[in-house]
Amino acid sequence: MSTYRNFTVETDADGIALVTWDMPDKSMNVFTVEVMDELETILRETVADAAVKGIVFTSGKSSFSGGADLTMIRGMFSMLAEEKARDPAAAAQKLFDVAGRMTGLFRRIETCGKPWVSAINGTCMGGAFELSLACHGRVVASGKSVKLALPEVKVGIFPGAGGTQRVPRLANAQDALQMMTTGQSLTPQRAKAMGLIHQVVEPDQLIETARQMIRDGLKPVAPWDEKGFKAPGGGVWTPAAAQLFPAAPAILRRETSGNYPAALAILKCVYEGLQLPFDTALKVEQRYFTQVLQTTEAFSMIRSLFISMQELGKGARRPQGVEKTELKKVGVVGAGFMGASIAYVTAAAGIPVVLIDQTQEAADKGKAVSEKLVAESATKGRLTKEEGAALLALITPTPDYSALSDADLVIEAVFEDRAVKKAVIEQIEAVIAPTTIFASNTSTLPISGLAENSKRPEQFIGVHFFSPVEKMMLTEVILGKQTGDRALAVALDFVARIRKTPIVVNDTRGFFVNRCVFRYINEAYDMLAEGVPAAMVENAARMSGMPVGPLSLNDEVAVDLSQKIMKASIADLGASSVKPGHMALIDKLVNDLDRRGRKNGKGFYDYPPKPARKSLWPGLKDLYPQKNPADVDIGVLKQRFLVTIALEAARTVEEGIVTDPREADVGSILGFGFAPYTGGTLSYIDGMGVKTFVALSEKLAAAYGDHFAPTPLLMDMAAKGETFYSRFDPYGEGRKAA
Ligand code: NAD
């Protein structure tokens, strides 16, 4: 047998070859061209070697595999772009062939005549799970960290290496569709109950069980290659299928508003594939896969949600040459709503935290939030009692600032009030070490202004969390005018340690995320004032791909908070900074009607006691003369939401607030769920072309106001035929790819 870079092959006395996938220099196994080349050779050699009776395939890492490698995917897209420029028809054919490589390899494994058993020792995603499905046996190690999934739809594609054909031939079609159209993770137990795997065993029994399957005479033939095979539930022409398949596209449309071509392609692959012989079905899958790969949605989602997110997570914006900080202690000052949760995520990452508030009682109340979260995780089986106790032991609540003396990083989350923050900054700086980095979690106060209260502005930075902190994956890191490289490096090391994705932005009112969110909510105020029924406002927003309607979102963040922010803008920037109509609406809701949002049970919605569900407040229609819904173009409403947000993102680039398009894209999706199928705010513009976007903005500006007018940067880019990713190339000088 040959030797391999990514695999070892050892054959035992029974003729069972143990193939262990263990890529050098990688923490996780992924599919690369080299991995596929080596797998081809292993297949050829094990088939040719008469001494080999069967193959057990496993991983040498703690997880099994994460699926495809991003460099391979990036390579595929650049190949496509180059070929398309040369010869579009040949490009599609080439893509079809490249996309089919994995499918062919897995099918050859399935039909090689010798039994293959996949011994899945840890998390197994995407292509690696598709490979396992092509093996004749699948054994999975039990363990709460073991997850099995075909998550491709989350990045705009679908399981295109046989997944859409093998899953519905093993599991019933409904479960198969559910699993693949949502990309959900399965526990080993759930995968077994669905029929996707054969056995779940203790980790130390994994390889032996797999070997035993072969010794017991496992047939090297897939069920669908046997004569008379029937899919579970009987395939497409059964009464059960007659219930499922006509409803499936409607359900999908309800969930996705038709925005995700890949999810629809999964339905087509399953429905059409189940009526065909297996090899023809694989070809149908390959055709749809090639089509989906060429969509703007797939390109943009893969770029933002797969490639850029990983790159930012791995520290693409971290200053080079600053040594990595091992955080030994973090201080959190202000144990309120945000501070308490920041302490929790810090302790959950294994870092000791001092949680400070004005009194011991207030600090204890902050720690109680972690106690509640730990108890909830324990009930769900995510934490053992010991792990929960260890996490809580890391949090020390106290009113005593001197406990901060040896902290590497201190984050303040006290009241949003300049005077309170000034006093706290001075109090903290009086006790911390000269090397400690100071971070503010302010959401509205510019960092450079706050840093004026600091004796060490180069060590002063913004680290802006989103609520609920334990769930939101984004953290906005804000550079003040004088913030230094070490402060940025420490902030990013912290964000990486708590496993959040950072975006780094320059200082401005509202930073990046909130500036965009305000535009979203403001557009809804405009629509209400025009007499658009509130239900249409909310539905149009969701149909455009936003996860939460703007009025619902406003209720969540509190209507009186909007009022506070608007008043602060008027005080700081002048009356013209807020539209009088917006201020009047919010003043009416808060001052006259006491409708403050979910927190007091009434805002744009009414919140009756559970189990009744919230519903739009009927009184809204009395505030403005209502339009007939038939006279409102829902398509235009959808565009207005996306365009006004994208324009704001473009302004942040123009003003130098956001300097890397990856951050505007990833930040907009993770921060407020900007229509993920677009790949984010700037990809939305690039995806339709800047010229088209400018024309659309001009049209909207003529009808709905100057805030839609395209900016000088956009006009210039349109004239030059540029995109954000070409003009502000993230891989240009001084920038790092993963
Ligand atoms: P909060 O009122 O719930 O908590 C503030 C806490 O700070 C209180 O527990 C208070 O006792 C404490 N505090 C006040 N003065 C103090 C002092 N001198 N020393 C120690 N503790 C002191 O407020 P919050 O919603 O947690 O907001 C805190 C900060 O986080 C604000 O700057 C806010 O803008 C920012 N923020 C809030 C959100 C949000 O969704 N609420 C999101 C992002 C950022």
Side-chain angles (χ1 to χ4, degrees):
M1 292 254 173
S2 317
T3 52
Y4 307 94
R5 242 173 71 78
N6 303 292
F7 298 92
T8 56
V9 183
E10 298 160 78
T11 307
D12 68 9
D14 294 326
I16 298 173
L18 177 66
V19 177
T20 307
W21 187 7
D22 195 352
M23 298 174 80
D25 322 319
K26 289 227 184 252
S27 58
M28 195 183 260
N29 292 323
V30 283
F31 277 102
T32 60
V33 171
E34 187 185 64
V35 162
M36 286 198 284
D37 289 344
E38 292 192 349
L39 208 47
E40 296 265 10
T41 313
I42 290 171
L43 174 63
R44 204 175 48 243
E45 293 189 353
T46 50
V47 167
D49 187 345
V52 173
K53 304 286 178 244
I55 292 87
V56 170
F57 187 87
T58 194
S59 149
K61 313 255 186 230
S62 60
S63 60
F64 188 81
S65 162
D69 180 41
L70 54 83
T71 49
M72 187 169 87
I73 292 180
R74 215 196 278 122
M76 200 152 83
F77 279 119
S78 9
M79 182 279 291
L80 180 64
E82 280 165 28
E83 290 287 324
K84 254 190 175 158
R86 228 175 295 155
D87 178 352
Q93 180 61 46
K94 196 153 180 194
L95 188 67
F96 181 76
D97 296 339
V98 171
R101 173 146 193 225
M102 257 187 181
T103 311
L105 171 60
F106 296 170
R107 183 64 177 146
R108 283 197 295 285
I109 288 176
E110 189 167 66
T111 54
C112 75
K114 292 185 180 179
W116 279 59
V117 177
S118 181
I120 302 173
N121 58 312
T123 287
C124 176
M125 297 283 181
F129 193 44
E130 292 184 288
L131 164 67
S132 301
L133 292 171
C135 291
H136 309 95
R138 286 168 292 284
V139 192
V140 181
S142 61
K144 66 173 190 277
S145 63
V146 182
K147 294 273 179 289
L148 310 168
L150 294 174
E152 289 85 345
V153 77
K154 292 184 178 169
V155 293
I157 52 174
F158 68 83
T164 67
Q165 299 312 311
R166 292 189 177 93
V167 173
R169 283 170 171 80
L170 290 166
N172 74 59
Q174 183 164 1
D175 287 348
L177 289 180
Q178 167 80 10
M179 173 193 181
M180 292 187 288
T181 54
T182 60
Q184 69 184 179
S185 289
L186 306 174
T187 60
Q189 288 73 18
R190 173 72 187 133
K192 179 150 190 295
M194 280 172 67
L196 296 180
I197 60 171
H198 297 97
Q199 295 191 56
V200 182
V201 298
E202 289 298 320
D204 59 356
Q205 297 300 305
L206 184 71
I207 302 300
E208 183 43 33
T209 310
R211 283 196 167 115
Q212 192 57 43
M213 282 181 90
I214 294 173
R215 286 197 292 262
D216 288 346
L218 178 69
K219 215 171 160 189
V221 180
W224 38 90
D225 289 325
E226 300 267 23
K227 240 189 149 87
F229 168 76
K230 274 208 167 18
V236 168
W237 303 108
T238 63
Q243 301 274 329
L244 171 69
F245 282 103
I251 296 170
L252 186 71
R253 191 151 187 98
R254 185 189 66 199
E255 300 298 321
T256 63
S257 301
N259 288 325
Y260 294 85
L264 186 60
I266 292 171
L267 294 193
K268 293 179 183 173
C269 286
V270 171
Y271 184 72
E272 293 173 31
L274 279 179
Q275 301 176 60
L276 294 167
F278 194 72
D279 285 301
T280 317
L282 286 179
K283 278 274 175 281
V284 167
E285 180 194 76
Q286 197 179 337
R287 287 226 164 84
Y288 280 122
F289 192 62
T290 309
Q291 273 176 19
V292 165
L293 273 178
Q294 294 176 81
T295 60
T296 307
E297 289 85 349
F299 176 79
S300 304
M301 284 178 83
I302 288 178
R303 180 168 64 188
S304 294
L305 291 168
F306 191 53
I307 299 175
S308 302
M309 213 159 99
Q310 281 196 35
E311 287 173 348
L312 297 178
K314 285 182 184 168
R317 292 293 309 278
R318 194 181 182 283
Q320 288 162 15
V322 183
E323 213 177 298
K324 189 163 177 257
T325 337
E326 285 307 333
L327 292 146
K328 291 189 210 65
K329 189 174 184 182
V330 167
V332 177
V333 179
F337 179 66
M338 294 301 285
S341 307
I342 297 169
Y344 171 78
V345 296
T346 308
I351 309 172
V353 201
V354 179
L355 179 58
I356 290 187
D357 209 296
Q358 285 159 308
T359 60
Q360 183 67 48
E361 200 191 347
D364 288 342
K365 209 170 137 208
K367 181 167 175 177
V369 170
S370 292
E371 286 158 4
K372 192 164 159 256
L373 289 168
V374 163
E376 280 169 14
S377 294
T379 318
K380 288 183 187 144
R382 294 199 192 121
L383 271 183
T384 63
K385 249 190 165 157
E386 294 71 34
E387 286 164 342
L391 188 161
L392 291 173
L394 290 172
I395 306 175
T396 310
T398 173
D400 180 6
Y401 276 70
S402 69
L404 298 173
S405 63
D406 55 346
D408 301 298
L409 168 73
V410 174
I411 303 165
E412 74 75 16
V414 298
F415 299 138
E416 190 75 337
D417 178 299
R418 281 198 179 93
V420 175
K421 299 239 190 239
K422 177 178 186 314
V424 166
I425 292 164
E426 287 166 2
Q427 221 173 332
I428 293 171
E429 286 194 355
V431 294
I432 54 179
T435 50
T436 306
I437 300 303
F438 184 104
S440 173
N441 179 47
T442 177
S443 37
T444 55
L445 304 171
I447 293 300
S448 307
L450 284 179
E452 283 168 16
N453 303 305
S454 167
K455 289 202 190 80
R456 332 153 331 146
E458 70 289 349
Q459 274 157 247
F460 197 103
I461 193 161
V463 176
H464 182 216
F465 286 88
F466 296 89
S467 143
V469 177
E470 62 283 2
K471 293 214 179 99
M472 295 293 286
M473 286 162 71
L474 185 75
T475 307
E476 220 170 1
V477 174
I478 302 110
L479 301 173
K481 273 198 200 83
Q482 299 187 57
T483 304
D485 272 1
R486 205 178 77 79
L488 175 58
V490 172
L492 291 178
D493 291 342
F494 171 67
V495 174
R497 184 80 185 273
I498 58 171
R499 292 162 160 256
K500 306 227 177 265
T501 305
I503 60 167
V504 180
V505 303
N506 287 314
D507 205 9
T508 176
R509 176 178 288 268
F511 313 130
F512 171 71
V513 169
N514 285 342
R515 274 181 65 161
C516 294
V517 170
F518 290 145
R519 289 287 176 181
Y520 178 47
I521 293 176
N522 284 350
E523 201 57 30
Y525 298 163
D526 277 356
M527 290 176 187
L528 288 179
E530 291 161 22
V532 178
M536 277 189 96
V537 173
E538 293 288 86
N539 287 341
R542 280 196 300 268
M543 286 163 74
S544 77
M546 301 299 288
V548 181
L551 304 177
S552 185
L553 180 64
N554 203 166
D555 272 2
E556 294 300 326
V557 298
V559 186
D560 55 338
L561 181 65
S562 297
Q563 187 188 40
K564 239 175 147 179
I565 293 168
M566 286 162 136
K567 282 187 174 164
S569 295
I570 292 173
D572 293 352
L573 308 172
S576 63
S577 62
V578 174
K579 271 195 187 173
H582 294 177
M583 196 73 244
L585 168 65
I586 295 308
D587 280 346
K588 174 139 199 102
L589 284 173
V590 178
N591 302 348
D592 302 352
L593 302 162
D594 193 32
R595 303 196 70 91
R596 291 165 192 269
R598 183 190 275 280
K599 66 179 183 182
N600 79 335
K602 46 186 186 170
F604 288 100
Y605 284 76
D606 282 326
Y607 298 85
K610 280 185 179 166
R613 290 167 59 172
K614 70 175 185 183
S615 56
L616 276 161
W617 173 49
L620 267 178
K621 39 180 184 298
D622 302 325
L623 297 183
Y624 306 99
Q626 295 291 285
K627 277 191 172 155
N628 179 348
D631 297 336
V632 181
D633 184 339
I634 198 121
V636 174
L637 298 185
K638 283 160 61 178
Q639 277 176 339
R640 284 170 66 179
F641 282 126
L642 300 189
V643 171
T644 190
I645 300 171
L647 275 166
E648 190 64 15
R651 284 184 204 106
T652 65
V653 175
E654 191 153 2
E655 292 164 24
I657 304 301
V658 169
T659 55
D660 183 327
R662 291 175 295 183
E663 296 182 307
D665 276 344
V666 172
S668 60
I669 296 177
L670 297 187
F672 56 95
F674 183 83
Y677 65 90
T678 62
T681 40
L682 299 183
S683 284
Y684 171 65
I685 301 176
D686 278 4
M688 74 172 82
V690 178
K691 218 169 155 184
T692 310
F693 182 80
V694 164
L696 177 59
S697 305
E698 282 169 342
K699 206 170 97 193
L700 293 174
Y704 303 102
D706 279 352
H707 61 291
F708 279 112
T711 67
L713 170 69
L714 284 164
M715 306 285 270
D716 187 49
M717 286 171 66
K720 292 181 179 149
E722 290 173 339
T723 63
F724 279 97
Y725 280 80
S726 66
R727 181 154 173 159
F728 302 95
D729 180 4
Y731 307 109
E733 226 174 293
R735 298 273 172 79
K736 278 187 288 176

